[in-house]
Amino acid sequence: MGASKCTGWLIVLVAVALVVTAAVVAITKKTQHPEALPVPGPPGAINQKYAEALSVALQFFQVQKSGKLVNNKIPWRGDSGLDDGKEEKVDLSKGMYDAGDHMKFGFPMAFTATVLSWSILEYGDQMKAAKQLDPALDALKWITDYLINAHPSDGVLYVQVGDPDLDHKCWDRPEEMTKKRPVTQINKKTPGTEVAAETAAAMAAASIVFKTINTTYSDSLLQHAQQLFTFADTYRGSYSVSIPHVQKFYNSTGYLDELLWAASWLYHATGDQIYLSYVTVENGNAFANWGRPTWFSWDDKRAGTQVLLSRVHFFGSKDSSNAEQKGLQMYRKTAEVVMCGLLPESPTATKSRTDDGLVWIDQWNSLQHPVAASFLAVVYSDYMLTSRTAEVQCNGESFTPMDLRKFAISQADYVLGDNPMEMSYLVGYGSSYPQQVHHRGASIPANANSGCKGWQWLSSPDPNPNVATGALVGGPFKNDSYIDLRNNSMQAEPTTYSSASLVALLSGLVTTSSVAQSFT
């Protein structure tokens, strides 16, 4: 009898223990934070799809080169713009045409260089593993050579080559240009803070890239960057006001973001606390619009600055004050707001997407925003992995670095053909891509000798005789459709700055790798 009672009590105690254990496990699961994924080491296995796409995308910078071409790899391209700047006794022959025309706009060109530099600094080892680092460095230096020449003295920066009104009255090959190509400068009397600061950012970022490759060149870039930042900050004024005709092409919505962007890059390039204080204590609250998500683009650098300064917060900043740390924390918190807006499952996800899931902000050059945002997502994901940060909180819901990477992959795959059109928007990649890219040089046969009046090539129903390899066309409409017509510049025109963002994104996806905790 006594043994039966003991057995009964034992069963009860075991049952109670099981219930308590289950309750504890349930509570623990609710409160436990997920473990961060292991930090990847050196570049792993190459993703062949993204490696091929990266190789294709980088070729567009060869297509867009102005000047005396060296080791020309594009058979239908030749020397052009050799006299650019000659009337002002400056050599502005290099640089790149911004889109399908033959203008050199310094504002988007400098942004192209900054993004190329950033991608090399974060993912140069991955580019090298995919054998694409040298083409990226070549493209960057072709632009920075131009930017150095465009800054002949302390208070002068040439910001444009060509008259856009004259340029757009022609449909010609760059090798045959006969129209006048005046140059436009900003100076102390006609300031242009946006373009001066963006150029400073480009040269500061590039100075880090070339630091171990060519010390003298790197030092020169940094000196130009510091002078231009001081000029931009001292003589404040919008270049859209100083040069009204740019309002139709690259109108600026403000220059405070470029000042923060440039100072952030100068901090990375120099380690000088003056620049960290500038972006955090002195101007962060007034300039950064903390807490409000924005879209990273040639015009608005805030989201890029927030992610770039999050890097400093993730990995530490030497000798930073409490006030500077507080400012860095605000940049990181805002970067997290940006990330939460991108993640499709987030409570604060942007609703501005196509039915097939592409982030869609503007009908003109619609791919520039999702591609640039996806690059930021990959970078932020890798900052989280490297710092062993397990999650980001979006209105009470948790998301992991892998969630950010999956978002970026979804956008990259859409661009490369996983879309309702079943077409790659990257020209030269895959078996189906746009045939009538809005691009003068690509649309006119190399032996045509059309002069300025080659309009029959614009209206031709035939595919382009030359493939603008690597061109990222403007992109789809909100309903995921695309009309492959050369006259459809809204959708069919490529740009160098969109290509830079795509190169950056693909470099982050081509293999797995942790980011370096310091650029230097």
Side-chain angles (χ1 to χ4, degrees):
M1 189 76 175
S4 297
K5 283 184 178 179
C6 287
T7 302
W9 278 110
L10 183 61
I11 292 171
V12 170
L13 287 171
V14 170
V16 169
L18 287 171
V19 170
V20 170
T21 301
V24 169
V25 169
I27 292 168
T28 303
K29 279 186 176 180
K30 283 187 176 181
T31 58
Q32 194 176 51
H33 295 297
E35 287 188 18
L37 293 171
V39 178
I46 297 294
N47 181 305
Q48 291 303 322
K49 175 174 74 173
Y50 298 135
E52 182 186 347
L54 178 60
S55 172
V56 170
L58 278 162
Q59 292 180 59
F60 189 57
F61 297 112
Q62 299 290 331
V63 170
Q64 295 303 96
K65 279 184 175 180
S66 169
K68 182 74 176 174
L69 302 186
V70 181
N71 298 322
N72 180 24
K73 296 177 176 62
I74 309 298
W76 51 272
R77 278 301 326 276
D79 299 342
S80 64
L82 297 179
D83 291 334
D84 285 355
K86 194 172 183 179
E87 64 187 57
E88 294 290 328
K89 297 181 180 178
V90 288
D91 179 5
L92 301 179
S93 60
K94 279 190 174 183
M96 294 185 186
Y97 305 118
D98 77 300
D101 56 16
H102 302 143
M103 290 296 299
K104 296 180 196 172
F105 290 106
F107 193 26
M109 195 196 304
F111 176 72
T112 299
T114 313
V115 174
L116 274 176
S117 295
W118 195 3
S119 62
I120 293 167
L121 291 169
E122 300 286 10
Y123 299 121
D125 57 342
Q126 303 192 183
M127 290 178 170
K128 188 173 183 179
K131 298 181 172 58
Q132 297 305 317
L133 179 57
D134 286 343
L137 290 169
D138 175 81
L140 175 60
K141 191 170 184 295
W142 201 264
I143 297 176
T144 53
D145 284 352
Y146 169 90
L147 295 178
I148 286 173
N149 287 353
H151 184 226
S153 59
D154 197 1
V156 173
L157 177 67
Y158 288 93
V159 298
Q160 183 176 299
V161 178
D163 179 327
D165 293 325
L166 285 177
D167 185 83
H168 290 171
K169 288 177 180 176
C170 288
W171 193 264
D172 53 356
R173 298 173 61 243
E175 294 81 1
E176 292 186 314
M177 287 187 292
T178 57
K179 54 193 169 292
K180 289 185 178 179
R181 291 178 61 77
V183 294
T184 305
Q185 67 169 242
I186 57 169
N187 50 52
K188 295 174 183 179
K189 292 183 179 179
T190 54
T193 296
E194 302 94 334
V195 64
E198 182 59 66
T199 306
M203 294 169 116
S207 76
I208 313 172
V209 171
F210 290 108
K211 194 169 187 177
T212 58
I213 301 171
N214 185 332
T215 306
T216 303
Y217 189 70
S218 171
D219 290 345
S220 174
L221 286 168
L222 185 56
Q223 184 178 6
H224 281 284
Q226 290 173 309
Q227 289 178 356
L228 279 167
F229 177 73
T230 300
F231 169 55
D233 194 33
T234 305
Y235 299 93
R236 292 187 187 179
S238 174
Y239 100 123
S240 292
V241 174
S242 295
I243 312 168
H245 68 244
V246 301
Q247 294 172 19
K248 292 190 294 182
F249 304 98
Y250 290 101
N251 183 49
S252 170
T253 55
Y255 55 72
L256 300 181
D257 55 312
E258 276 82 22
L259 288 172
L260 295 176
W261 177 239
S264 300
W265 277 112
L266 279 162
Y267 174 68
H268 280 289
T270 65
D272 193 329
Q273 296 294 122
I274 289 174
Y275 298 113
L276 184 62
S277 180
Y278 183 96
V279 298
T280 54
V281 180
E282 295 172 34
N283 299 298
N285 195 48
F287 292 4
N289 211 356
W290 284 328
R292 179 174 173 267
T294 50
W295 296 102
F296 186 43
S297 73
W298 60 266
D299 179 42
D300 194 337
K301 317 298 157 47
R302 283 173 292 181
T305 302
Q306 287 145 12
V307 171
L308 182 63
L309 290 175
S310 294
R311 162 182 261 287
V312 183
H313 192 260
F314 271 116
F315 304 127
S317 54
K318 296 176 182 177
D319 306 320
S320 57
S321 67
N322 289 337
E324 288 164 348
Q325 281 294 330
K326 185 177 178 183
L328 289 172
Q329 185 177 20
M330 292 304 297
Y331 279 107
R332 180 171 164 183
K333 282 184 176 179
T334 310
E336 290 184 352
V337 173
V338 173
M339 295 302 123
C340 290
L342 300 178
L343 292 164
E345 304 301 320
S346 164
T348 56
T350 179
K351 301 293 191 292
S352 190
R353 301 175 198 256
T354 70
D355 289 341
D356 206 50
L358 178 76
V359 168
W360 198 92
I361 307 304
D362 194 340
Q363 62 183 357
W364 280 94
N365 195 4
S366 62
L367 286 175
Q368 68 167 316
H369 291 110
V371 169
S374 296
F375 166 58
L376 295 185
V378 169
V379 170
Y380 200 85
S381 168
D382 285 340
Y383 291 169
M384 291 177 69
L385 279 176
T386 304
S387 64
R388 307 305 305 276
T389 302
E391 61 188 3
V392 60
Q393 290 286 328
C394 302
N395 276 24
E397 292 195 24
S398 301
F399 296 91
T400 67
M402 189 51 66
D403 291 323
L404 285 169
R405 192 174 183 88
K406 283 178 180 175
F407 160 76
I409 287 171
S410 74
Q411 304 297 288
D413 287 352
Y414 185 107
V415 169
L416 298 180
D418 186 8
N419 56 62
M421 297 295 294
E422 298 182 347
M423 177 183 71
S424 165
Y425 290 106
L426 175 61
V427 176
Y429 177 84
S431 58
S432 175
Y433 48 81
Q435 299 297 303
Q436 290 201 24
V437 181
H438 183 90
H439 188 279
R440 288 185 209 165
S443 72
I444 304 174
N447 59 356
N449 297 320
S450 64
C452 178
K453 305 298 181 184
W455 297 107
Q456 71 269 30
W457 304 111
L458 173 62
S459 56
S460 168
D462 299 327
N464 285 349
N466 309 309
V467 179
T469 305
L472 179 66
V473 295
F477 286 133
K478 183 75 180 287
N479 64 2
D480 292 299
S481 69
Y482 180 85
I483 302 168
D484 189 13
L485 286 176
R486 201 173 293 107
N487 254 322
N488 178 19
S489 57
M490 180 183 289
Q491 289 188 287
E493 187 168 19
T495 63
T496 47
Y497 48 91
S498 291
S499 287
S501 294
L502 181 61
V503 163
L505 170 59
L506 293 170
S507 298
L509 296 178
V510 75
T511 181
T512 54
S513 173
S514 57
V515 293
Q517 296 192 21
S518 172
F519 286 148
T520 55

